[in-house]
Amino acid sequence: MTTPAPRADLSTHRVENQPPPRGNTDLWASDAPLREAIAREGGQPAPLAEYGAALGTVEMRQAARDANTCSPKLHLFDAGGRRLDEVHFHPAYHQFLDLGIASGYCATAWQGTPGGHTTHAAMVYLASQVEPSTCCPMTMSYAAYPALAASPDLAAIWQPKLTTRRYDPSLRPVREKLGVTLGMAMTEKQGGSDVRANTTRAEPAGDHWRLTGHKWFCSAPMSDGFLTLAQTPAGLSCFLVPRWLEGARNAIRIQRLKDKLGNRANASAEIEYEGAEAYLLGEEGRGVATIIEMVHHTRLDTAMAPAGLMRAAIVEAHHWATHRSAFQHRLIDQPLMRAVLADLALDWEGALALGLRVARAYDGPTPEDRAFARIAVALAKYLSNKRCPIVTYEAMEALGGMGYVEDTPMPMLYREAPLNGIWEGSGNVICLDILRTLAREPLAAEVLRVELAAASGSDPRYDAALQAHVARWPALPPEAEARWFVERLALLLTASLLIRHAPAAVSDAFVTTRISGEAGRTTGAMAGHDVSAILERIATR
């Protein structure tokens, strides 16, 4: 009997030259620039270490994917036709809110802990690396707290519930809740950023008001209440609208959920107020002045989140390049790939340093701190969000075709990248706001000048660029040049921080490529820098 010849191995599914799974990654322990900045700016390392370790697990990354894949569902009516106006989420959504709220995302800034806003800002940065959509309801709740002070009676009810560190998604009125979240409903379709064009009207009804009107964007519609704007006889006024009343739903009707580019785990809605019960917050006719306190604090988060998105994208690209080979060499050893990753890291390090410096100003007690926070948060929001889409795209490209596939987090990060630049004032609005602040608040201009001057004498290229900026704009620029002016000012502020606090390899490369114009305009178009020293700060192990 003839013995058959052995068959060749016909398997075609051998996995070769693919990066291994990342496994659990401690987002705090693996991030030296974050730890350095927290020590410098006065944040609290212990809660950040705990939060970063919890967020970086395989379990939470899978939860992030589940929350984005299984998007929120709107349930308008029950089986009998009664109004529900409820949004149902995947359990993973609740998992992220439970973790974030318990860790102090909404509360730590308001509980008397030193460096509370800095610690909060770092939590935004950490959360944005894993599941940024769920930051929205937590950011709104953090930012609503100071605005409530405009009405002590409302503050006495709502502020303690915002800081319990208990996530309670149950459908009950505020007095029965273990903890609450607050959202915002300002925008109307005919006005957009021009909120004074709002047409929602408020009519007095005893100890409260009744609101009637349509809101084009309602952030986090399952919040327990909303800060909103409506017209009274005295003008545009701010109101707190609870979602639940004693024994009944308030007359807040969800029209539809927005079909958004990104931010998919979070529900954003159009709503109608149909005589909804509301409570005046602050003085009648001073609605913008009241709600701007909330906007000021949400802007801190929109300035901080892009640093987290950039970090997540760069880490993913670095992991891929470290474990992937092409043309007989690991990608991470190839000079051009190293230049690209190092260039991307400069944007991330700059955004992180600037965001946490701004957060320290929110913690500060002096008029100078408040003035710096006012101007610098707008500069940070503008610059970091203009860089974020570019960084996430370039990191995606580093993965080749796999970067375009949902098996990686890159598509989610790329979809998320434009959001914070639009939210709470798009680029033009922010630029005009910066010009108004510098024109009307001399202290803001002075503290900014002092911060820029603090790096003088360390790098002649920086000194020359700062002098050129002042020479080009000895006064405020015409409106048409506002973006150019703001970009240069934000870059100079970032360079000032990096020169003083970052390793020389980072600050030197940043000044060369961003300040002195000694590099090309596309990512990685640079040469002559200590790329190895920059890349070491990306490493996650």
Side-chain angles (χ1 to χ4, degrees), residues 436-460:
R436 281 193 299 270
T437 300
L438 293 174
R440 298 174 183 176
E441 300 181 26
L443 185 57
E446 175 59 20
V447 294
L448 183 58
R449 185 196 65 77
V450 170
E451 191 79 19
L452 292 168
S456 295
S458 300
D459 188 318

Side-chain angles (χ1 to χ4, degrees), residues 287-303:
V288 173
T290 301
I291 208 167
I292 201 68
E293 186 68 19
M294 184 177 185
V295 173
H296 177 57
H297 286 81
T298 53
R299 278 190 179 174
L300 175 60
D301 290 22
T302 62

Side-chain angles (χ1 to χ4, degrees), residues 131-424:
E131 207 308 290
S133 306
T134 49
C135 290
C136 178
M138 295 191 290
T139 285
M140 291 291 180
S141 300
Y142 151 78
Y145 186 98
L148 291 169
S151 292
D153 290 346
L154 291 174
I157 297 169
W158 288 85
Q159 282 184 335
K161 300 284 186 174
L162 286 168
T163 55
T164 61
R165 302 191 181 214
R166 299 284 298 275
Y167 175 53
D168 181 359
S170 64
L171 304 177
R172 292 183 290 175
V174 58
R175 296 183 189 276
E176 300 176 19
K177 299 271 290 191
L178 299 175
V180 299
T181 58
L182 281 174
M184 180 191 287
M186 263 204 305
T187 305
E188 297 185 10
K189 54 183 175 288
Q190 77 284 350
S193 296
D194 183 9
V195 294
R196 295 190 185 279
N198 284 6
T199 60
T200 296
R201 67 183 186 275
E203 298 172 349
D207 66 345
H208 60 275
W209 296 69
R210 294 287 179 184
L211 268 56
T212 303
H214 177 268
K215 293 295 179 179
W216 192 235
F217 273 96
C218 175
S219 299
M222 290 296 96
S223 299
D224 296 289
F226 308 94
L227 268 61
T228 196
L229 295 174
Q231 300 285 357
T232 74
L236 195 63
S237 304
C238 185
F239 294 88
L240 174 59
V241 188
R243 191 159 64 91
W244 276 84
L245 309 174
E246 297 296 332
R249 300 170 190 270
N250 204 355
I252 306 170
R253 310 304 187 202
I254 299 178
Q255 302 301 301
R256 61 172 174 167
L257 300 185
K258 295 293 193 182
D259 188 4
K260 298 172 293 186
L261 168 67
N263 206 247
R264 292 183 173 180
N266 181 51
S268 302
E270 292 175 35
I271 63 170
E272 293 273 3
Y273 295 132
E274 295 184 355
E277 184 173 314
Y279 295 85
L280 182 66
L281 187 62
E283 296 180 35
E284 188 179 347
R286 290 185 51 80
V288 173
T290 301
I291 208 167
I292 201 68
E293 186 68 19
M294 184 177 185
V295 173
H296 177 57
H297 286 81
T298 53
R299 278 190 179 174
L300 175 60
D301 290 22
T302 62
M304 202 70 234
L309 296 172
M310 286 189 268
R311 166 73 176 171
I314 292 167
V315 165
E316 199 70 27
H318 187 272
H319 177 75
W320 177 271
T322 301
H323 298 281
R324 178 82 167 175
S325 295
F327 311 113
Q328 294 78 52
H329 297 283
R330 287 192 315 160
L331 291 176
I332 197 63
D333 295 327
Q334 302 198 26
L336 195 51
M337 179 61 76
R338 293 173 68 78
V340 169
L341 293 177
D343 203 357
L344 296 177
L346 299 177
D347 285 317
W348 152 60
E349 286 231 28
L352 176 61
L354 181 55
L356 290 178
R357 171 64 185 93
V358 171
R360 176 161 66 88
Y362 277 68
D363 282 316
T366 68
E368 289 79 9
D369 290 319
R370 290 191 289 275
F372 185 77
R374 173 81 172 88
I375 188 66
V377 73
L379 291 167
K381 172 175 159 50
Y382 182 82
L383 179 62
S384 297
N385 283 295
K386 291 305 177 190
R387 297 306 304 167
C388 189
I390 297 170
V391 170
T392 52
Y393 161 70
E394 289 284 0
M396 175 190 291
E397 186 178 295
L399 272 67
M402 278 305 298
Y404 206 65
V405 174
E406 299 284 351
D407 289 339
T408 76
M410 304 308 291
M412 181 273 287
L413 295 170
Y414 186 63
R415 288 191 296 267
E416 195 73 19
L419 174 61
N420 291 282
I422 298 170
W423 189 24
E424 303 300 35

Side-chain angles (χ1 to χ4, degrees), residues 27 30 77 92-93 101 119 123 127 197 200 203 231 247 272 292 305 308 345 372 389 418 447 478 514:
L27 300 184
S30 64
F77 304 96
Y93 173 90
I101 290 173
T119 305
M123 288 184 172
T200 296
E203 298 172 349
Q231 300 285 357
E272 293 273 3
I292 201 68
F372 185 77
V447 294
R514 273 70 170 166

